[in-house]
Amino acid sequence: MIRRLACAAMSVALSFSAVSVQAQDDAPAQTLFTNVHVFDGVNEARIENASVLVEGNLIKSVSTEAIDAPNATVIDGEGRTLAPGFIENHAHLMLPGPTIPAMESNSTWEDLAIHGTKMAEMYLMQGFTTVRDAGGANGGLRRAIDAGQIPGPRFYPSAAFLGSRGGHADFASFTSPPGAETNFSRLNLAQQVDSVDEMNKYARNNFRMGATQLKFMQSGGVVSAFDPWQLLAGSPEELEAIVRVANEYESYVMAHSYRKKTIMNALNAGVKSIEHGFMFDCEISALMNEKGAYITTNLTAFDPNLFDVPAVRDVPSSLAKAKSATQAFGGYIKNMNECPAKRGFHTDCVGSVDACNIQIAYEKKLNNDFFGPFASLVAMTSTGGEIAALSGPFMNPYRDGKIGVIEEGAYADILLIDGNPLEDFSVVGTGDQWFGADPRPESPETIRIIMKDGVVYKNTLN
């Protein structure tokens, strides 16, 4: 009997031992960053001489005391800045250019898909761990990234641009009759919407196709065929309809809006993200703060060399629109500095991967030139994270942690950067020239580590 009990006890002990080993094997991997100065995405003062522990895909601890993690992979930051991964709030990963007619007439889904995969990898290697696509991308690219089939950032697509006939979402050829199928509509890159019923149909279809939020083209544009930039597109009922559909999914609407009237109309209808917003002023800022809304603006629109951009310079109608727009948009930077609103980083590049790499770096530089390093870093991190969270409890694909901040429980989207970007902004990978610039490196040398979701995609420390 005693022998039998001893054997049973030994069996139980061995079972517990096996469970213990199994539990250790199943424990999430840990990475411990030591000797770093943390920019947390929110506060201007860095957390000096800190350590950050990552467990699995989340940040477990941020401390100025030593962190006990004996099984962690240790990375000595050697006094570098640890920051959240950057967030791009307005990109078009599926639009290779070089012109709208070329994409409409000559691009197959293979052309667009290959371009999208290359753009996704480029963004990640430039330090962007999250990208919001502002039109043209459905859910397939995100599924491929999240499944690990291709490298890329967290991805928030808007699916098809939605806008009126003759507006900024009308990419059809000049001779295309109303209602005709186009390459863009066939692939759900853009849809012409001219009634409340059509808005309901195409907005709901966008969510069906993987959108995390909706995009409405409320104003016209400069480098486009049919639309004056001053356009007031869409009826009030259509605007209310797209907001209502977004609310059905507890998500939100982003609106391509230039004129003050369009911006105010959008905000009063419930739009939460104003895109471009070039006629921004203090009245708009006050309404944005009241409504809990955000703005993202491509600052290349204020570049002094804008008239030399080939797509503007070589097309008389676009050049004329650019000149009138420049006069109307002149107060943006002054107004944003005097009465700031919550502003996210925004590049809006359509073109080759190399060209967009250059434009991203130049957009970083303009942010610092106009608003300084702290405001620029906040736009590229925590504000972008707040915008991502607007997609809500159902359509947001990344709900387990915050994005754009370094804090306990946030996603482990982390950059380790040489120097202090709050003093020398160039270390985030800026570029001094837009058109005519030399090709940029695959990844800025000063960004030494790129981690997304707890996985290291770049490490040049050792």
Side-chain angles (χ1 to χ4, degrees):
M1 180 72 176
I2 294 174
R3 185 176 178 184
R4 225 178 287 155
L5 286 173
C7 288
M10 185 179 295
S11 176
V12 169
L14 289 172
S15 296
F16 275 121
S17 176
V19 169
S20 177
V21 171
Q22 181 67 37
Q24 289 179 6
D25 290 342
D26 291 344
Q30 292 183 328
T31 302
L32 178 61
F33 294 90
T34 63
N35 191 19
V36 294
H37 306 305
V38 176
F39 170 70
D40 64 4
V42 177
N43 297 293
E44 187 165 7
R46 297 185 304 173
I47 305 170
E48 302 289 327
N49 303 312
S51 295
V52 176
L53 178 62
V54 171
E55 186 172 87
N57 67 337
L58 301 176
I59 296 172
K60 184 174 179 62
S61 181
V62 180
S63 178
T64 55
E65 304 293 331
I67 295 175
D68 182 27
N71 298 318
T73 299
V74 178
I75 297 176
D76 184 352
E78 300 176 342
R80 294 179 173 87
T81 298
L82 185 145
F86 300 145
I87 299 174
E88 165 72 85
N89 285 287
H90 191 117
H92 299 290
L93 268 60
M94 300 297 285
L95 303 185
T99 64
I100 290 171
M103 289 187 288
E104 170 59 30
S105 301
N106 300 322
S107 292
T108 67
W109 66 264
E110 295 99 331
D111 297 318
L112 304 178
I114 291 168
H115 178 74
T117 62
K118 291 298 187 182
M119 285 286 285
E121 183 176 12
M122 181 272 289
Y123 260 109
L124 181 61
M125 297 312 294
Q126 292 302 311
F128 288 86
T129 53
T130 298
V131 168
R132 181 179 66 161
D133 195 285
N138 295 284
L141 188 61
R142 186 187 71 236
R143 290 197 299 271
I145 292 170
D146 291 351
Q149 295 175 320
I150 59 172
R154 301 183 190 278
F155 194 57
Y156 288 82
S158 303
F161 300 92
L162 301 179
S164 61
R165 172 75 172 178
H168 203 55
D170 184 351
F171 300 121
S173 62
F174 181 69
T175 57
S176 177
E181 186 180 58
T182 68
N183 194 35
F184 272 69
S185 67
R186 187 165 48 246
L187 298 174
N188 202 51
L189 273 68
Q191 302 290 357
Q192 293 178 29
V193 175
D194 290 304
S195 69
V196 169
D197 286 346
E198 288 183 340
M199 185 66 78
N200 288 334
K201 176 174 68 176
Y202 287 117
R204 289 168 180 152
N205 187 62
N206 272 352
F207 282 126
R208 182 180 184 273
M209 297 296 290
T212 51
Q213 65 284 321
L214 301 175
K215 169 77 175 295
F216 182 57
M217 300 299 233
Q218 197 182 12
S219 292
V222 172
V223 185
S224 47
F226 312 117
D227 47 326
W229 67 261
Q230 300 94 335
L231 183 65
L232 297 171
S235 68
E237 293 78 14
E238 289 165 0
L239 190 57
E240 291 169 3
I242 191 172
V243 170
R244 185 178 63 251
V245 172
N247 289 342
E248 291 172 0
Y249 289 80
E250 294 196 24
S251 182
Y252 72 101
V253 175
M254 52 196 295
H256 168 105
S257 306
Y258 283 14
R259 284 178 60 179
K260 180 173 180 177
K261 183 173 177 58
T262 61
I263 297 169
M264 298 294 278
N265 288 349
L267 292 170
N268 283 317
V271 168
K272 291 298 184 183
S273 182
I274 300 297
E275 306 306 300
H276 310 289
F278 294 130
M279 295 188 73
F280 175 88
D281 62 15
C282 292
E283 185 180 3
I284 291 171
S285 181
L287 185 58
M288 286 181 61
N289 291 329
E290 176 189 331
K291 300 288 187 179
Y294 296 77
I295 187 169
T296 81
T297 306
N298 46 319
L299 302 180
T300 47
F302 309 112
D303 180 57
N305 301 310
L306 180 65
F307 298 153
D308 295 326
V309 174
V312 174
R313 179 195 63 208
D314 300 337
V315 181
S317 60
S318 293
L319 181 59
K321 287 198 286 184
K323 289 180 177 178
S324 67
T326 298
Q327 293 176 350
F329 302 161
Y332 177 95
I333 296 166
K334 172 179 172 291
N335 292 332
M336 185 61 73
N337 278 309
E338 287 185 1
C339 43
K342 288 199 169 186
R343 181 182 62 86
F345 183 86
H346 169 150
T347 302
D348 194 28
C349 183
V350 173
S352 71
V353 175
D354 287 344
C356 288
N357 192 346
I358 290 169
Q359 186 172 333
I360 291 164
Y362 191 60
E363 185 70 35
K364 290 177 181 176
K365 174 187 182 295
L366 293 179
N367 267 264
N368 184 52
D369 287 350
F370 297 150
F371 303 114
F374 175 60
S376 300
L377 286 171
V378 169
M380 294 169 68
T381 57
S382 60
T383 299
E386 292 176 18
I387 293 172
L390 290 175
S391 54
F394 312 129
M395 306 315 294
N396 184 355
Y398 313 108
R399 299 188 290 270
D400 293 337
K402 286 186 179 180
I403 294 172
V405 293
I406 302 295
E407 64 179 49
E408 182 178 338
Y411 276 116
D413 298 350
I414 291 172
L415 305 179
L416 195 62
I417 305 171
D418 285 342
N420 182 356
L422 292 160
E423 296 176 353
D424 176 9
F425 198 70
S426 69
V427 297
V428 305
T430 61
D432 293 332
Q433 188 178 356
W434 187 10
F435 283 87
D438 292 332
R440 292 190 55 77
E442 178 185 354
S443 185
E445 293 181 4
T446 48
I447 299 179
R448 305 299 293 272
I449 286 181
I450 299 172
M451 171 184 277
K452 188 204 85 173
D453 208 40
V455 177
V456 174
Y457 288 85
K458 175 187 178 181
N459 181 355
T460 59
L461 286 182
N462 46 48

